[in-house]
Amino acid sequence: MSFKVAIIGRPNVGKSTLFNRLVGRKLALVDDTPGVTRDRRVHAAKLYDLHFDVIDTAGFEDAGASTLPGRMRAQTEIAIREADLIFFTIDAKSGLLPDDRTFAEIVRKSGKPVVLVANKAEARGAQGGMLEAWELGLGEPIPVSAEHGQGMPDLRDAVISALGEARAFGEEEEGDDDEIATTEVLIGEDIADPDAEDAHGYDDTKPMRIAVVGRPNAGKSTLINALIGEERLLTGPEAGITRDSISVDWDWRGRQIKLFDTAGMRRKARIHEKLEVMSVQDGLRAIRFAEIVVIVLDATIPFEKQDLQIADLIIREGRAPVIAFNKWDLIDNPQELLAELREKTERLLPQVRGIQAVPVSAETGRGLDKLMDAVLRTHKVWNSRVSTGKLNRWLEAILAHHPPPAVAGRRLKVKYVTQAKTRPPGFVVQCSRPEAMPQSYVRYLSNSLREAFDMPGVPIRIALRTSDNPFAGRAKKRG
C-alpha cells in the first residue's frame, strides 16, 4: 500500500515547484506571485525507489473562514487530515516568519509524522534560515532546492526515517498513469478494418475523461462538487478562483470518470497578467486531452461571444461538447427560456447540430443526472462507426437526390466513401477534383451523414481525396 504526502507551508516557499519535482512533470502552475495555488492537487510521485501520492496545497494564511484565503486554508487542513506524512516547507533564503511558527504549531497538533523541508537552500544566505528552522521543533531541516533538484537523496532518507522502512517500501499499487502521453493521437482513432460490415459495440468499461470549461464565475467548480457530492474544489462568489486544471476521480453508476476543473476563460484582449495566461493555457491542455467537454453557461447571461468562441475551439479540437445551462434556480420563466435557448443553440452552433443542452443547478443539484445521461449519449456518438457498405448505400441515394454541382462546365464525380477514424467520426470521400468541391456541398454531405446515421451533437470530419492518375506527368512519346 502506498502512502500519501502533503506539502504544507506559507505562500511562495516553493511548494508547487517541489510538487512538480516529485511527480516529474510541470503540472502545477508556478510563478513568483504568492498564492498561485488555491485548490489541492493529488498526483502519483516518485523519489528514487519510493512511490507515493503527493498533495500540493495552497499557502497557509491566517484569515477569516468566510474569506477566500480562509477557504483555501480549509482545503489545506483537509489535505493534512488525508496525509500519512507532511512536508512542512519553509523558505531558507528569507528565514522564519511569524506565520511559519503559527502553522508549525498546527502541523504539530495534527500528530502526523513531519519532515521539515528547507527549500531554496542553494541561495546565498540560506544557511541562516536553516539554523533558524531548528526553532520550530520539527526536527532537523532538510536543505533542498526544488528548482534545481538538489538535496533529493537527503529528503528520501528523511522520509524513510519518519515512516519506517516497512511503511515507506510498502507494496505499490499498480495503475495507469492519469496523464495521456503526448505522443498519443489527439484527434481521431484509426479504424482497423473500415470494410468490416459489423461495427464494434460501445465499450462502457473504459474510463471517461470529462473537462468542464466556461467563462469565469459560470459555476464550473460548484458543478463538479455537486456531481461528486463533496466540497473537493474551492468555490465562492469571487470570479476567477480556479487557476490550475485540477483532476478529480469519480465513480458514476460503476463507470470510472476523471473530471477536470479548469480556469475561467475570458476574452483574449482582457487577459494581461502572466498568471492568467498560464491558467488559460492549462485549461486548453485539459480540453485537448479530454473526450467530453461540458461547456458551462450562466443561464442568466448565456451565449456571450466568449461562450461561442470556447465552443468553437472545442469543436475544432474534435472533442465532444455538451452544454450545461447552470444557475437554473435563478430563472423565473424556465419553460419559455429553455425553448429560446435551444433555438439559439441550434442557430449559433450549426457545426454540431443536435448538441445536447441540459438546464442544471449546481447549487441545488437539479438536472445533474440528466446532464450525465447527455454526456454518455454524446460519448457513444463520438465513438460510433459506420460500415463501408452502409455508407456507400447511403451515398448512392444521396447522389441520386442531390448530385454534385458542375464547376467550370464539368460535373464533379463522387465515387466512394469510407469511415477512417472515430473520436470524432472522420470520413474519406473519394471524388474527382477535390479542390473544386464547394464547401456548401461538403456541408450537405456532413448534415446528411448526421441525420442518416444518428450522429447529433459531435464534430464530423470529411476529407476529400482523389485517386492517383497513373498517367499524370508522363511525357507523350512522339515518333
Side-chain angles (χ1 to χ4, degrees):
M1 179 180 167
S2 177
F3 58 94
K4 193 172 278 190
V5 175
I7 305 175
I8 307 296
R10 61 179 174 80
N12 216 29
V13 295
K15 298 182 296 300
S16 294
T17 309
L18 180 58
F19 174 87
N20 288 343
R21 174 66 58 182
L22 293 171
V23 302
R25 295 186 192 141
K26 291 186 177 179
L27 293 182
L29 296 185
V30 175
D31 193 65
D32 292 337
T33 312
V36 172
T37 304
R38 287 175 171 171
D39 284 289
R40 68 187 196 276
R41 180 199 287 270
V42 185
H43 200 278
K46 182 181 177 183
L47 186 58
Y48 298 106
D49 51 352
L50 299 178
H51 297 262
F52 52 93
D53 289 333
V54 63
I55 311 173
D56 187 23
T57 64
F60 247 146
E61 294 188 64
D62 196 3
S66 61
T67 63
L68 179 57
R71 299 199 300 276
M72 288 159 59
R73 176 173 167 170
Q75 290 284 320
T76 302
E77 287 169 348
I78 292 171
I80 292 174
R81 289 197 294 272
E82 289 180 352
D84 302 301
L85 176 66
I86 294 169
F87 283 175
F88 188 81
T89 311
I90 64 162
D91 183 345
K93 184 169 66 173
S94 61
L96 286 189
L97 296 181
D99 281 352
D100 289 317
R101 292 182 169 84
T102 304
F103 303 136
E105 189 62 31
I106 294 172
V107 168
R108 192 182 295 107
K109 285 178 180 177
S110 71
K112 300 289 177 73
V114 181
V115 172
L116 180 56
V117 180
N119 193 26
K120 308 184 186 179
E122 82 286 1
R124 184 178 298 172
Q127 190 64 32
M130 286 275 300
L131 294 173
E132 282 185 12
W134 284 94
E135 298 176 18
L136 296 175
L138 295 176
E140 180 181 358
I142 308 300
V144 304
S145 171
E147 181 71 29
H148 303 291
Q150 298 170 6
M152 294 297 126
D154 293 337
L155 187 58
R156 170 197 173 274
D157 294 343
V159 171
I160 296 171
S161 176
L163 289 177
E165 287 197 15
R167 185 79 176 87
F169 292 104
E171 293 182 10
E172 298 166 35
E173 294 178 355
E174 293 187 3
D176 294 333
D177 197 342
D178 71 345
E179 294 290 322
I180 294 179
T182 54
T183 55
E184 184 170 331
V185 178
L186 292 179
I187 297 183
E189 286 195 357
D190 293 327
I191 294 175
D193 184 7
D195 295 324
E197 192 64 29
D198 58 325
H200 296 290
Y202 175 72
D203 185 359
D204 59 1
T205 61
K206 289 184 178 179
M208 194 191 312
R209 300 167 67 89
I210 303 174
V212 180
V213 305
R215 287 185 289 118
N217 220 22
K220 300 178 291 299
S221 300
T222 309
L223 178 63
I224 292 178
N225 284 344
L227 285 170
I228 65 177
E230 63 173 283
E231 291 297 314
R232 172 64 182 81
L233 300 167
L234 198 62
T235 59
E238 304 90 347
I241 289 177
T242 304
R243 283 173 172 165
D244 290 87
S245 292
I246 303 294
S247 65
V248 179
D249 292 314
W250 180 43
D251 185 287
W252 181 70
R253 297 179 185 173
R255 181 75 179 264
Q256 290 299 312
I257 292 175
K258 188 172 283 292
L259 292 165
F260 289 85
D261 188 23
T262 63
M265 298 181 185
R266 296 196 298 165
R267 279 173 30 204
K268 200 170 181 180
R270 294 186 180 179
I271 300 175
H272 303 295
E273 293 181 12
K274 174 189 167 190
L275 191 54
E276 189 172 357
V277 171
M278 291 162 59
S279 297
V280 171
Q281 287 172 345
D282 207 27
L284 295 177
R285 184 175 177 278
I287 290 172
R288 292 187 186 103
F289 287 109
E291 296 169 334
I292 300 287
V293 182
V294 176
I295 308 167
V296 181
L297 304 186
D298 185 338
T300 60
I301 42 170
F303 291 118
E304 297 278 300
K305 184 180 179 182
Q306 181 65 2
D307 293 325
L308 297 174
Q309 288 180 337
I310 292 170
D312 186 57
L313 168 71
I314 292 160
I315 294 160
R316 282 188 279 113
E317 285 290 341
R319 307 301 94 189
V322 172
I323 292 177
F325 293 117
N326 193 23
K327 306 186 182 179
W328 204 249
D329 52 306
L330 303 179
I331 302 303
D332 296 328
N333 50 343
Q335 293 301 325
E336 295 173 26
L337 183 63
L338 185 58
E340 181 187 332
L341 290 178
R342 287 196 165 142
E343 182 275 324
K344 278 188 176 179
T345 303
E346 294 292 314
R347 177 165 47 85
L348 297 173
L349 296 172
Q351 62 272 53
V352 281
R353 184 174 296 174
I355 184 173
Q356 298 283 323
V358 183
V360 300
S361 170
E363 198 67 40
T364 64
R366 175 187 170 181
L368 298 184
D369 284 339
K370 288 183 179 178
L371 175 64
M372 288 308 300
D373 289 337
V375 164
L376 192 60
R377 282 196 299 273
T378 302
H379 194 252
K380 286 179 179 177
V381 173
W382 193 64
N383 281 276
S384 64
R385 61 149 301 198
V386 185
S387 67
T388 301
K390 289 180 181 176
L391 282 170
N392 283 287
R393 288 192 288 274
W394 160 82
L395 182 64
E396 200 176 316
I398 283 294
L399 294 178
H401 178 258
H402 184 185
V407 177
R410 293 165 56 201
R411 185 165 291 282
L412 299 170
K413 294 179 181 177
V414 178
K415 305 169 186 174
Y416 179 82
V417 61
T418 185
Q419 185 175 359
K421 292 181 182 290
T422 59
R423 304 163 61 93
F427 300 88
V428 175
V429 175
Q430 201 81 16
C431 63
S432 63
R433 298 190 292 153
E435 72 285 349
M437 182 72 74
Q439 279 302 306
S440 58
Y441 197 77
V442 176
R443 282 196 300 273
Y444 167 69
L445 291 177
S446 175
N447 290 334
S448 301
L449 268 170
R450 197 185 295 281
E451 290 173 13
F453 298 107
D454 194 23
M455 292 189 287
V458 299
I460 290 179
R461 303 273 193 255
I462 293 184
L464 303 178
R465 299 281 186 270
T466 186
S467 54
D468 294 330
N469 183 354
F471 302 103
R474 288 178 59 177
K476 292 181 180 179
K477 295 182 180 178
R478 298 186 182 277

